Amino acid sequence: MDDMVKMKGEAELAHLLQKSLKRKRYLIVLDDIWSCEVWDGVRQCFPTEDNAGSRILLTTRNKEVACYAGTENLSMQINFMDQDESWNLFKSVAFANVALPSRFETIGKQIAEKCHGLPLTTAVVAGLLKSKRAIEDWENVAKDVKSFVTKDPDERCSRVLRLSYNHLTSDLKTCLLHFGIFLEDSEIPVKRLVRSWMAEGLLKLENDLEGEAGKCFQELVDRCLVLICKKSRDGTKFRSCKVHDLIYDLCVTEFQRENILIMNNIVLGVSERGNLSMQKMQPFKCVTGDEINYCPYGLYRALLTPVHRQLRDHDNNDLLKRTRSILTFYPKDSIYGPKLELIHFKLLKVLDLSDIVIASSLYRY
């Protein structure tokens, strides 16, 4: 990925990829292809001849895509876990190799069975019960799981995730929702996350904020709501993390439903003179993950104080005055330098420039 490659268009890049793969044997894995149109666009980048033994493996949550892309009946549908697999996963998370009375095992098997073989649902519910050692709590969760289960797998997961969310303390809820301000499916440095919690004032303790933040993070990990991406070499520290896209959707939905805060994106564009300029703040709901990928000059996410009236998207001054925090999501492979006039944000409290400075920094005003 040198500067020459970065300046080329998609058609040129597709041609380069085809050329580099010709007459070679390769295995390419494409994760989470969401439509037939996307697959049609991507498949044009690969050679169609002189590649004996090469394979392309794709995953999707859409059965139509799998059937459409599969050749010679090579598509495979992953089955749900059977009762034994579900129970083994459940007890490995909830029991953590600790022997419990037979009553817990009996109820645990009932709960695992009601998760209907979905690994995500099973792991989340088991994580919820990991810290609960009262039989009444397990019985209540068994009742809740049954009432939250629906026929649609994605909806079932969402409902169970909401169940897990509802069982969190107010502090843990706030910390989990904070994942919604980061880009979807992004790998987040743990240090940046906990410092953001501290700077935003999400933790009630005035002393040892880092220790309290660490405890909150560990509990969210134990509940299988946060996934660990990287650890330190000795395995004792967490370096980066992320949340499942269903949990991310839950965070964004709760932000909007509870009117906790409003998220807006400030996308940087190029002026006629060739200099970077700040475009009008765009509502968060209108800038999806796909569109964000086409912001090569930097993306700033602004957190605004909510108001009891409809957001006036056309009034940029109104948005600027209510902005309390700004976080940067700056493409690491961009060849441009970011520019943002902060003088417009009179009430700015937190400025996170982690992505655009050598040493991560988080300022609180």
mmCIF file of all heavy atoms in Angstrom, residues 16-64:
data_model
loop_
_atom_site.group_PDB
_atom_site.id
_atom_site.type_symbol
_atom_site.label_atom_id
_atom_site.label_comp_id
_atom_site.label_asym_id
_atom_site.label_seq_id
_atom_site.Cartn_x
_atom_site.Cartn_y
_atom_site.Cartn_z
ATOM 1 N N LEU A 16 -5.160 -4.497 -10.866
ATOM 2 C CA LEU A 16 -3.900 -4.855 -10.204
ATOM 3 C C LEU A 16 -4.037 -6.158 -9.418
ATOM 4 O O LEU A 16 -3.131 -7.001 -9.422
ATOM 5 C CB LEU A 16 -3.454 -3.726 -9.268
ATOM 6 C CG LEU A 16 -2.842 -2.481 -9.912
ATOM 7 C CD1 LEU A 16 -2.539 -1.429 -8.850
ATOM 8 C CD2 LEU A 16 -1.559 -2.854 -10.653
ATOM 9 N N LEU A 17 -5.177 -6.319 -8.751
ATOM 10 C CA LEU A 17 -5.396 -7.533 -7.971
ATOM 11 C C LEU A 17 -5.472 -8.750 -8.884
ATOM 12 O O LEU A 17 -4.863 -9.789 -8.604
ATOM 13 C CB LEU A 17 -6.678 -7.402 -7.152
ATOM 14 C CG LEU A 17 -7.035 -8.599 -6.269
ATOM 15 C CD1 LEU A 17 -5.917 -8.908 -5.289
ATOM 16 C CD2 LEU A 17 -8.338 -8.331 -5.520
ATOM 17 N N GLN A 18 -6.213 -8.611 -9.971
ATOM 18 C CA GLN A 18 -6.297 -9.711 -10.931
ATOM 19 C C GLN A 18 -4.914 -10.102 -11.443
ATOM 20 O O GLN A 18 -4.554 -11.283 -11.517
ATOM 21 C CB GLN A 18 -7.175 -9.296 -12.118
ATOM 22 C CG GLN A 18 -8.658 -9.382 -11.862
ATOM 23 C CD GLN A 18 -9.444 -9.155 -13.134
ATOM 24 O OE1 GLN A 18 -8.938 -8.598 -14.101
ATOM 25 N NE2 GLN A 18 -10.689 -9.580 -13.131
ATOM 26 N N LYS A 19 -4.127 -9.098 -11.793
ATOM 27 C CA LYS A 19 -2.794 -9.335 -12.344
ATOM 28 C C LYS A 19 -1.886 -10.028 -11.340
ATOM 29 O O LYS A 19 -1.110 -10.930 -11.686
ATOM 30 C CB LYS A 19 -2.184 -7.991 -12.769
ATOM 31 C CG LYS A 19 -0.874 -8.108 -13.527
ATOM 32 C CD LYS A 19 -0.391 -6.732 -13.985
ATOM 33 C CE LYS A 19 0.936 -6.833 -14.737
ATOM 34 N NZ LYS A 19 1.408 -5.492 -15.172
ATOM 35 N N SER A 20 -1.985 -9.627 -10.066
ATOM 36 C CA SER A 20 -1.100 -10.204 -9.046
ATOM 37 C C SER A 20 -1.474 -11.644 -8.705
ATOM 38 O O SER A 20 -0.633 -12.413 -8.223
ATOM 39 C CB SER A 20 -1.134 -9.344 -7.774
ATOM 40 O OG SER A 20 -2.417 -9.390 -7.188
ATOM 41 N N LEU A 21 -2.753 -12.012 -8.928
ATOM 42 C CA LEU A 21 -3.202 -13.357 -8.565
ATOM 43 C C LEU A 21 -3.133 -14.349 -9.719
ATOM 44 O O LEU A 21 -3.223 -15.560 -9.494
ATOM 45 C CB LEU A 21 -4.652 -13.296 -8.052
ATOM 46 C CG LEU A 21 -4.877 -12.577 -6.723
ATOM 47 C CD1 LEU A 21 -6.367 -12.519 -6.404
ATOM 48 C CD2 LEU A 21 -4.124 -13.242 -5.589
ATOM 49 N N LYS A 22 -2.965 -13.861 -10.929
ATOM 50 C CA LYS A 22 -2.968 -14.753 -12.092
ATOM 51 C C LYS A 22 -1.858 -15.801 -12.000
ATOM 52 O O LYS A 22 -0.724 -15.502 -11.626
ATOM 53 C CB LYS A 22 -2.807 -13.938 -13.373
ATOM 54 C CG LYS A 22 -4.132 -13.690 -14.085
ATOM 55 C CD LYS A 22 -3.921 -13.111 -15.473
ATOM 56 C CE LYS A 22 -5.257 -13.051 -16.204
ATOM 57 N NZ LYS A 22 -5.097 -12.485 -17.560
ATOM 58 N N ARG A 23 -2.239 -17.023 -12.366
ATOM 59 C CA ARG A 23 -1.310 -18.155 -12.383
ATOM 60 C C ARG A 23 -0.733 -18.455 -11.000
ATOM 61 O O ARG A 23 0.339 -19.026 -10.878
ATOM 62 C CB ARG A 23 -0.173 -17.918 -13.390
ATOM 63 C CG ARG A 23 -0.665 -17.750 -14.827
ATOM 64 C CD ARG A 23 0.497 -17.561 -15.798
ATOM 65 N NE ARG A 23 0.007 -17.393 -17.154
ATOM 66 C CZ ARG A 23 -0.412 -16.238 -17.660
ATOM 67 N NH1 ARG A 23 -0.374 -15.158 -16.913
ATOM 68 N NH2 ARG A 23 -0.844 -16.167 -18.898
ATOM 69 N N LYS A 24 -1.432 -18.050 -9.969
ATOM 70 C CA LYS A 24 -1.023 -18.390 -8.610
ATOM 71 C C LYS A 24 -2.145 -19.173 -7.954
ATOM 72 O O LYS A 24 -3.304 -19.077 -8.345
ATOM 73 C CB LYS A 24 -0.728 -17.124 -7.793
ATOM 74 C CG LYS A 24 0.477 -16.336 -8.284
ATOM 75 C CD LYS A 24 0.690 -15.100 -7.427
ATOM 76 C CE LYS A 24 1.878 -14.289 -7.926
ATOM 77 N NZ LYS A 24 2.061 -13.039 -7.129
ATOM 78 N N ARG A 25 -1.790 -19.946 -6.949
ATOM 79 C CA ARG A 25 -2.800 -20.686 -6.198
ATOM 80 C C ARG A 25 -3.025 -19.960 -4.873
ATOM 81 O O ARG A 25 -2.089 -19.702 -4.127
ATOM 82 C CB ARG A 25 -2.342 -22.122 -5.955
ATOM 83 C CG ARG A 25 -3.437 -22.970 -5.304
ATOM 84 C CD ARG A 25 -3.209 -24.437 -5.486
ATOM 85 N NE ARG A 25 -1.895 -24.866 -5.020
ATOM 86 C CZ ARG A 25 -1.481 -26.124 -5.041
ATOM 87 N NH1 ARG A 25 -2.263 -27.053 -5.540
ATOM 88 N NH2 ARG A 25 -0.288 -26.435 -4.602
ATOM 89 N N TYR A 26 -4.289 -19.632 -4.585
ATOM 90 C CA TYR A 26 -4.559 -18.802 -3.419
ATOM 91 C C TYR A 26 -5.836 -19.258 -2.713
ATOM 92 O O TYR A 26 -6.687 -19.945 -3.277
ATOM 93 C CB TYR A 26 -4.711 -17.328 -3.837
ATOM 94 C CG TYR A 26 -5.747 -17.090 -4.903
ATOM 95 C CD1 TYR A 26 -7.107 -17.028 -4.591
ATOM 96 C CD2 TYR A 26 -5.380 -16.942 -6.247
ATOM 97 C CE1 TYR A 26 -8.062 -16.819 -5.567
ATOM 98 C CE2 TYR A 26 -6.339 -16.733 -7.229
ATOM 99 C CZ TYR A 26 -7.685 -16.670 -6.889
ATOM 100 O OH TYR A 26 -8.626 -16.474 -7.847
ATOM 101 N N LEU A 27 -5.945 -18.856 -1.456
ATOM 102 C CA LEU A 27 -7.177 -18.990 -0.676
ATOM 103 C C LEU A 27 -7.520 -17.604 -0.154
ATOM 104 O O LEU A 27 -6.723 -16.983 0.551
ATOM 105 C CB LEU A 27 -7.006 -19.961 0.499
ATOM 106 C CG LEU A 27 -8.158 -19.951 1.521
ATOM 107 C CD1 LEU A 27 -9.453 -20.441 0.880
ATOM 108 C CD2 LEU A 27 -7.809 -20.791 2.750
ATOM 109 N N ILE A 28 -8.689 -17.106 -0.521
ATOM 110 C CA ILE A 28 -9.142 -15.790 -0.074
ATOM 111 C C ILE A 28 -10.426 -15.972 0.727
ATOM 112 O O ILE A 28 -11.349 -16.661 0.298
ATOM 113 C CB ILE A 28 -9.388 -14.845 -1.268
ATOM 114 C CG1 ILE A 28 -8.057 -14.550 -1.968
ATOM 115 C CG2 ILE A 28 -10.055 -13.557 -0.819
ATOM 116 C CD1 ILE A 28 -8.184 -13.671 -3.195
ATOM 117 N N VAL A 29 -10.480 -15.367 1.903
ATOM 118 C CA VAL A 29 -11.652 -15.452 2.776
ATOM 119 C C VAL A 29 -12.318 -14.086 2.842
ATOM 120 O O VAL A 29 -11.682 -13.089 3.197
ATOM 121 C CB VAL A 29 -11.270 -15.917 4.193
ATOM 122 C CG1 VAL A 29 -12.521 -16.012 5.068
ATOM 123 C CG2 VAL A 29 -10.550 -17.260 4.137
ATOM 124 N N LEU A 30 -13.593 -14.026 2.474
ATOM 125 C CA LEU A 30 -14.383 -12.796 2.542
ATOM 126 C C LEU A 30 -15.444 -12.978 3.620
ATOM 127 O O LEU A 30 -16.332 -13.826 3.502
ATOM 128 C CB LEU A 30 -15.050 -12.518 1.189
ATOM 129 C CG LEU A 30 -14.097 -12.411 -0.013
ATOM 130 C CD1 LEU A 30 -14.897 -12.307 -1.311
ATOM 131 C CD2 LEU A 30 -13.194 -11.202 0.132
ATOM 132 N N ASP A 31 -15.369 -12.191 4.661
ATOM 133 C CA ASP A 31 -16.251 -12.362 5.817
ATOM 134 C C ASP A 31 -17.455 -11.436 5.724
ATOM 135 O O ASP A 31 -17.319 -10.231 5.497
ATOM 136 C CB ASP A 31 -15.481 -12.097 7.110
ATOM 137 C CG ASP A 31 -16.314 -12.390 8.345
ATOM 138 O OD1 ASP A 31 -17.064 -13.370 8.336
ATOM 139 O OD2 ASP A 31 -16.232 -11.618 9.316
ATOM 140 N N ASP A 32 -18.654 -11.997 5.942
ATOM 141 C CA ASP A 32 -19.896 -11.237 6.084
ATOM 142 C C ASP A 32 -20.258 -10.465 4.813
ATOM 143 O O ASP A 32 -20.354 -9.244 4.815
ATOM 144 C CB ASP A 32 -19.801 -10.280 7.275
ATOM 145 C CG ASP A 32 -21.181 -9.933 7.827
ATOM 146 O OD1 ASP A 32 -22.183 -10.502 7.355
ATOM 147 O OD2 ASP A 32 -21.245 -9.066 8.708
ATOM 148 N N ILE A 33 -20.457 -11.183 3.728
ATOM 149 C CA ILE A 33 -20.974 -10.580 2.496
ATOM 150 C C ILE A 33 -22.489 -10.437 2.647
ATOM 151 O O ILE A 33 -23.178 -11.418 2.888
ATOM 152 C CB ILE A 33 -20.635 -11.455 1.273
ATOM 153 C CG1 ILE A 33 -19.126 -11.642 1.157
ATOM 154 C CG2 ILE A 33 -21.205 -10.843 0.006
ATOM 155 C CD1 ILE A 33 -18.363 -10.362 0.914
ATOM 156 N N TRP A 34 -23.003 -9.220 2.500
ATOM 157 C CA TRP A 34 -24.385 -8.970 2.901
ATOM 158 C C TRP A 34 -25.389 -8.921 1.752
ATOM 159 O O TRP A 34 -26.587 -8.837 1.996
ATOM 160 C CB TRP A 34 -24.471 -7.680 3.696
ATOM 161 C CG TRP A 34 -23.927 -6.484 2.962
ATOM 162 C CD1 TRP A 34 -24.632 -5.614 2.174
ATOM 163 C CD2 TRP A 34 -22.579 -6.034 2.946
ATOM 164 N NE1 TRP A 34 -23.802 -4.658 1.668
ATOM 165 C CE2 TRP A 34 -22.523 -4.878 2.126
ATOM 166 C CE3 TRP A 34 -21.395 -6.477 3.538
ATOM 167 C CZ2 TRP A 34 -21.350 -4.186 1.885
ATOM 168 C CZ3 TRP A 34 -20.231 -5.769 3.301
ATOM 169 C CH2 TRP A 34 -20.217 -4.647 2.492
ATOM 170 N N SER A 35 -24.939 -8.964 0.495
ATOM 171 C CA SER A 35 -25.901 -8.957 -0.606
ATOM 172 C C SER A 35 -25.286 -9.588 -1.846
ATOM 173 O O SER A 35 -24.060 -9.648 -1.999
ATOM 174 C CB SER A 35 -26.364 -7.527 -0.927
ATOM 175 O OG SER A 35 -25.345 -6.794 -1.565
ATOM 176 N N CYS A 36 -26.154 -10.021 -2.759
ATOM 177 C CA CYS A 36 -25.692 -10.607 -4.023
ATOM 178 C C CYS A 36 -24.975 -9.560 -4.866
ATOM 179 O O CYS A 36 -24.015 -9.866 -5.576
ATOM 180 C CB CYS A 36 -26.879 -11.181 -4.803
ATOM 181 S SG CYS A 36 -27.750 -12.528 -3.955
ATOM 182 N N GLU A 37 -25.441 -8.315 -4.801
ATOM 183 C CA GLU A 37 -24.817 -7.243 -5.576
ATOM 184 C C GLU A 37 -23.378 -7.004 -5.130
ATOM 185 O O GLU A 37 -22.481 -6.775 -5.955
ATOM 186 C CB GLU A 37 -25.627 -5.953 -5.440
ATOM 187 C CG GLU A 37 -26.990 -5.975 -6.123
ATOM 188 C CD GLU A 37 -28.029 -6.769 -5.345
ATOM 189 O OE1 GLU A 37 -27.755 -7.091 -4.157
ATOM 190 O OE2 GLU A 37 -29.085 -7.084 -5.907
ATOM 191 N N VAL A 38 -23.141 -7.068 -3.819
ATOM 192 C CA VAL A 38 -21.781 -6.883 -3.304
ATOM 193 C C VAL A 38 -20.869 -8.000 -3.809
ATOM 194 O O VAL A 38 -19.738 -7.764 -4.232
ATOM 195 C CB VAL A 38 -21.786 -6.836 -1.760
ATOM 196 C CG1 VAL A 38 -20.358 -6.898 -1.215
ATOM 197 C CG2 VAL A 38 -22.469 -5.565 -1.275
ATOM 198 N N TRP A 39 -21.381 -9.231 -3.779
ATOM 199 C CA TRP A 39 -20.580 -10.357 -4.261
ATOM 200 C C TRP A 39 -20.262 -10.208 -5.748
ATOM 201 O O TRP A 39 -19.146 -10.462 -6.184
ATOM 202 C CB TRP A 39 -21.291 -11.668 -3.990
ATOM 203 C CG TRP A 39 -20.726 -12.839 -4.740
ATOM 204 C CD1 TRP A 39 -21.351 -13.612 -5.656
ATOM 205 C CD2 TRP A 39 -19.389 -13.357 -4.643
ATOM 206 N NE1 TRP A 39 -20.507 -14.580 -6.134
ATOM 207 C CE2 TRP A 39 -19.292 -14.453 -5.530
ATOM 208 C CE3 TRP A 39 -18.274 -13.011 -3.891
ATOM 209 C CZ2 TRP A 39 -18.138 -15.187 -5.689
ATOM 210 C CZ3 TRP A 39 -17.109 -13.751 -4.045
ATOM 211 C CH2 TRP A 39 -17.040 -14.818 -4.926
ATOM 212 N N ASP A 40 -21.245 -9.771 -6.535
ATOM 213 C CA ASP A 40 -21.008 -9.562 -7.966
ATOM 214 C C ASP A 40 -19.913 -8.527 -8.201
ATOM 215 O O ASP A 40 -19.108 -8.656 -9.129
ATOM 216 C CB ASP A 40 -22.303 -9.102 -8.654
ATOM 217 C CG ASP A 40 -23.257 -10.253 -8.906
ATOM 218 O OD1 ASP A 40 -22.776 -11.403 -8.972
ATOM 219 O OD2 ASP A 40 -24.468 -10.002 -9.031
ATOM 220 N N GLY A 41 -19.889 -7.488 -7.354
ATOM 221 C CA GLY A 41 -18.865 -6.460 -7.495
ATOM 222 C C GLY A 41 -17.484 -6.959 -7.121
ATOM 223 O O GLY A 41 -16.496 -6.689 -7.811
ATOM 224 N N VAL A 42 -17.419 -7.741 -6.059
ATOM 225 C CA VAL A 42 -16.124 -8.217 -5.563
ATOM 226 C C VAL A 42 -15.540 -9.297 -6.461
ATOM 227 O O VAL A 42 -14.325 -9.335 -6.703
ATOM 228 C CB VAL A 42 -16.260 -8.739 -4.109
ATOM 229 C CG1 VAL A 42 -14.976 -9.409 -3.648
ATOM 230 C CG2 VAL A 42 -16.628 -7.599 -3.171
ATOM 231 N N ARG A 43 -16.383 -10.183 -6.982
ATOM 232 C CA ARG A 43 -15.874 -11.333 -7.752
ATOM 233 C C ARG A 43 -15.156 -10.895 -9.021
ATOM 234 O O ARG A 43 -14.330 -11.631 -9.556
ATOM 235 C CB ARG A 43 -17.023 -12.287 -8.086
ATOM 236 C CG ARG A 43 -18.012 -11.729 -9.099
ATOM 237 C CD ARG A 43 -19.264 -12.576 -9.213
ATOM 238 N NE ARG A 43 -18.971 -13.953 -9.586
ATOM 239 C CZ ARG A 43 -19.907 -14.893 -9.732
ATOM 240 N NH1 ARG A 43 -21.172 -14.591 -9.511
ATOM 241 N NH2 ARG A 43 -19.578 -16.115 -10.079
ATOM 242 N N GLN A 44 -15.456 -9.699 -9.523
ATOM 243 C CA GLN A 44 -14.801 -9.199 -10.723
ATOM 244 C C GLN A 44 -13.322 -8.885 -10.498
ATOM 245 O O GLN A 44 -12.573 -8.700 -11.459
ATOM 246 C CB GLN A 44 -15.519 -7.943 -11.217
ATOM 247 C CG GLN A 44 -16.974 -8.184 -11.609
ATOM 248 C CD GLN A 44 -17.688 -6.914 -12.007
ATOM 249 O OE1 GLN A 44 -17.051 -5.893 -12.239
ATOM 250 N NE2 GLN A 44 -19.011 -6.955 -12.082
ATOM 251 N N CYS A 45 -12.932 -8.823 -9.237
ATOM 252 C CA CYS A 45 -11.531 -8.502 -8.925
ATOM 253 C C CYS A 45 -10.622 -9.726 -9.021
ATOM 254 O O CYS A 45 -9.398 -9.583 -8.925
ATOM 255 C CB CYS A 45 -11.418 -7.915 -7.516
ATOM 256 S SG CYS A 45 -12.385 -6.420 -7.255
ATOM 257 N N PHE A 46 -11.205 -10.923 -9.190
ATOM 258 C CA PHE A 46 -10.398 -12.133 -9.159
ATOM 259 C C PHE A 46 -10.298 -12.758 -10.547
ATOM 260 O O PHE A 46 -11.230 -12.663 -11.357
ATOM 261 C CB PHE A 46 -11.008 -13.129 -8.172
ATOM 262 C CG PHE A 46 -11.173 -12.583 -6.794
ATOM 263 C CD1 PHE A 46 -12.424 -12.465 -6.221
ATOM 264 C CD2 PHE A 46 -10.069 -12.151 -6.072
ATOM 265 C CE1 PHE A 46 -12.585 -11.949 -4.952
ATOM 266 C CE2 PHE A 46 -10.219 -11.631 -4.805
ATOM 267 C CZ PHE A 46 -11.480 -11.526 -4.238
ATOM 268 N N PRO A 47 -9.190 -13.425 -10.818
ATOM 269 C CA PRO A 47 -8.994 -14.078 -12.127
ATOM 270 C C PRO A 47 -10.023 -15.181 -12.336
ATOM 271 O O PRO A 47 -10.514 -15.785 -11.386
ATOM 272 C CB PRO A 47 -7.576 -14.648 -12.037
ATOM 273 C CG PRO A 47 -6.938 -13.964 -10.881
ATOM 274 C CD PRO A 47 -8.030 -13.590 -9.940
ATOM 275 N N THR A 48 -10.308 -15.457 -13.579
ATOM 276 C CA THR A 48 -11.281 -16.505 -13.905
ATOM 277 C C THR A 48 -10.642 -17.705 -14.601
ATOM 278 O O THR A 48 -11.334 -18.666 -14.924
ATOM 279 C CB THR A 48 -12.391 -15.935 -14.817
ATOM 280 O OG1 THR A 48 -11.785 -15.381 -15.988
ATOM 281 C CG2 THR A 48 -13.187 -14.861 -14.095
ATOM 282 N N GLU A 49 -9.328 -17.658 -14.813
ATOM 283 C CA GLU A 49 -8.662 -18.771 -15.488
ATOM 284 C C GLU A 49 -7.226 -18.879 -15.011
ATOM 285 O O GLU A 49 -6.687 -17.989 -14.372
ATOM 286 C CB GLU A 49 -8.684 -18.565 -17.011
ATOM 287 C CG GLU A 49 -8.084 -17.235 -17.449
ATOM 288 C CD GLU A 49 -8.265 -16.989 -18.940
ATOM 289 O OE1 GLU A 49 -8.951 -17.776 -19.590
ATOM 290 O OE2 GLU A 49 -7.698 -16.000 -19.420
ATOM 291 N N ASP A 50 -6.601 -20.003 -15.332
ATOM 292 C CA ASP A 50 -5.197 -20.253 -14.965
ATOM 293 C C ASP A 50 -4.960 -20.182 -13.464
ATOM 294 O O ASP A 50 -3.923 -19.726 -13.003
ATOM 295 C CB ASP A 50 -4.266 -19.245 -15.669
ATOM 296 C CG ASP A 50 -4.322 -19.378 -17.171
ATOM 297 O OD1 ASP A 50 -4.525 -20.504 -17.667
ATOM 298 O OD2 ASP A 50 -4.182 -18.343 -17.841
ATOM 299 N N ASN A 51 -5.942 -20.624 -12.679
ATOM 300 C CA ASN A 51 -5.786 -20.607 -11.222
ATOM 301 C C ASN A 51 -6.280 -21.922 -10.637
ATOM 302 O O ASN A 51 -7.085 -21.940 -9.709
ATOM 303 C CB ASN A 51 -6.557 -19.436 -10.603
ATOM 304 C CG ASN A 51 -5.900 -18.095 -10.861
ATOM 305 O OD1 ASN A 51 -6.152 -17.475 -11.874
ATOM 306 N ND2 ASN A 51 -5.033 -17.673 -9.962
ATOM 307 N N ALA A 52 -5.790 -23.013 -11.188
ATOM 308 C CA ALA A 52 -6.205 -24.337 -10.725
ATOM 309 C C ALA A 52 -5.856 -24.505 -9.251
ATOM 310 O O ALA A 52 -4.737 -24.215 -8.826
ATOM 311 C CB ALA A 52 -5.523 -25.417 -11.556
ATOM 312 N N GLY A 53 -6.831 -24.977 -8.478
ATOM 313 C CA GLY A 53 -6.603 -25.229 -7.057
ATOM 314 C C GLY A 53 -6.905 -24.050 -6.173
ATOM 315 O O GLY A 53 -6.853 -24.168 -4.944
ATOM 316 N N SER A 54 -7.214 -22.882 -6.732
ATOM 317 C CA SER A 54 -7.522 -21.696 -5.921
ATOM 318 C C SER A 54 -8.952 -21.764 -5.400
ATOM 319 O O SER A 54 -9.826 -22.366 -6.021
ATOM 320 C CB SER A 54 -7.328 -20.418 -6.741
ATOM 321 O OG SER A 54 -5.979 -20.273 -7.116
ATOM 322 N N ARG A 55 -9.181 -21.120 -4.261
ATOM 323 C CA ARG A 55 -10.506 -21.130 -3.646
ATOM 324 C C ARG A 55 -10.811 -19.759 -3.048
ATOM 325 O O ARG A 55 -9.923 -19.080 -2.534
ATOM 326 C CB ARG A 55 -10.603 -22.189 -2.540
ATOM 327 C CG ARG A 55 -10.481 -23.626 -3.026
ATOM 328 C CD ARG A 55 -11.707 -24.042 -3.829
ATOM 329 N NE ARG A 55 -11.640 -25.442 -4.226
ATOM 330 C CZ ARG A 55 -11.096 -25.880 -5.344
ATOM 331 N NH1 ARG A 55 -10.516 -25.022 -6.176
ATOM 332 N NH2 ARG A 55 -11.112 -27.160 -5.632
ATOM 333 N N ILE A 56 -12.099 -19.386 -3.105
ATOM 334 C CA ILE A 56 -12.597 -18.202 -2.406
ATOM 335 C C ILE A 56 -13.682 -18.674 -1.448
ATOM 336 O O ILE A 56 -14.657 -19.309 -1.859
ATOM 337 C CB ILE A 56 -13.179 -17.158 -3.379
ATOM 338 C CG1 ILE A 56 -12.090 -16.668 -4.337
ATOM 339 C CG2 ILE A 56 -13.766 -15.971 -2.608
ATOM 340 C CD1 ILE A 56 -12.610 -15.724 -5.410
ATOM 341 N N LEU A 57 -13.501 -18.392 -0.168
ATOM 342 C CA LEU A 57 -14.457 -18.783 0.863
ATOM 343 C C LEU A 57 -15.135 -17.525 1.384
ATOM 344 O O LEU A 57 -14.469 -16.577 1.808
ATOM 345 C CB LEU A 57 -13.743 -19.509 2.002
ATOM 346 C CG LEU A 57 -14.564 -19.794 3.261
ATOM 347 C CD1 LEU A 57 -15.661 -20.805 2.952
ATOM 348 C CD2 LEU A 57 -13.663 -20.318 4.379
ATOM 349 N N LEU A 58 -16.458 -17.496 1.346
ATOM 350 C CA LEU A 58 -17.168 -16.332 1.886
ATOM 351 C C LEU A 58 -18.172 -16.775 2.943
ATOM 352 O O LEU A 58 -18.704 -17.881 2.898
ATOM 353 C CB LEU A 58 -17.857 -15.537 0.777
ATOM 354 C CG LEU A 58 -19.023 -16.125 -0.006
ATOM 355 C CD1 LEU A 58 -20.352 -15.919 0.722
ATOM 356 C CD2 LEU A 58 -19.104 -15.509 -1.394
ATOM 357 N N THR A 59 -18.406 -15.908 3.900
ATOM 358 C CA THR A 59 -19.428 -16.141 4.921
ATOM 359 C C THR A 59 -20.494 -15.075 4.780
ATOM 360 O O THR A 59 -20.227 -13.958 4.343
ATOM 361 C CB THR A 59 -18.834 -16.087 6.341
ATOM 362 O OG1 THR A 59 -18.409 -14.748 6.636
ATOM 363 C CG2 THR A 59 -17.659 -17.037 6.473
ATOM 364 N N THR A 60 -21.707 -15.431 5.151
ATOM 365 C CA THR A 60 -22.822 -14.498 5.060
ATOM 366 C C THR A 60 -23.917 -14.938 6.018
ATOM 367 O O THR A 60 -24.025 -16.114 6.360
ATOM 368 C CB THR A 60 -23.389 -14.436 3.623
ATOM 369 O OG1 THR A 60 -24.499 -13.530 3.595
ATOM 370 C CG2 THR A 60 -23.845 -15.800 3.154
ATOM 371 N N ARG A 61 -24.718 -13.979 6.462
ATOM 372 C CA ARG A 61 -25.884 -14.303 7.274
ATOM 373 C C ARG A 61 -27.139 -14.369 6.417
ATOM 374 O O ARG A 61 -28.229 -14.509 6.936
ATOM 375 C CB ARG A 61 -26.058 -13.251 8.382
ATOM 376 C CG ARG A 61 -25.073 -13.430 9.531
ATOM 377 C CD ARG A 61 -25.168 -12.303 10.519
ATOM 378 N NE ARG A 61 -24.526 -11.094 9.997
ATOM 379 C CZ ARG A 61 -24.477 -9.943 10.659
ATOM 380 N NH1 ARG A 61 -25.027 -9.847 11.831
ATOM 381 N NH2 ARG A 61 -23.873 -8.899 10.135
ATOM 382 N N ASN A 62 -26.956 -14.237 5.108
ATOM 383 C CA ASN A 62 -28.073 -14.264 4.172
ATOM 384 C C ASN A 62 -27.987 -15.537 3.334
ATOM 385 O O ASN A 62 -27.068 -15.695 2.529
ATOM 386 C CB ASN A 62 -28.023 -13.022 3.270
ATOM 387 C CG ASN A 62 -29.268 -12.881 2.413
ATOM 388 O OD1 ASN A 62 -29.935 -13.853 2.118
ATOM 389 N ND2 ASN A 62 -29.573 -11.659 2.026
ATOM 390 N N LYS A 63 -28.935 -16.453 3.511
ATOM 391 C CA LYS A 63 -28.904 -17.725 2.804
ATOM 392 C C LYS A 63 -28.955 -17.526 1.296
ATOM 393 O O LYS A 63 -28.353 -18.278 0.525
ATOM 394 C CB LYS A 63 -30.068 -18.601 3.268
ATOM 395 C CG LYS A 63 -30.042 -20.006 2.700
ATOM 396 C CD LYS A 63 -31.174 -20.844 3.266
ATOM 397 C CE LYS A 63 -31.136 -22.256 2.697
ATOM 398 N NZ LYS A 63 -32.247 -23.078 3.251
ATOM 399 N N GLU A 64 -29.674 -16.496 0.847
ATOM 400 C CA GLU A 64 -29.781 -16.210 -0.581
ATOM 401 C C GLU A 64 -28.405 -15.931 -1.179
ATOM 402 O O GLU A 64 -28.097 -16.383 -2.287
ATOM 403 C CB GLU A 64 -30.703 -15.007 -0.802
ATOM 404 C CG GLU A 64 -30.848 -14.619 -2.268
ATOM 405 C CD GLU A 64 -31.627 -13.331 -2.450
ATOM 406 O OE1 GLU A 64 -32.002 -12.725 -1.433
ATOM 407 O OE2 GLU A 64 -31.847 -12.920 -3.616
#
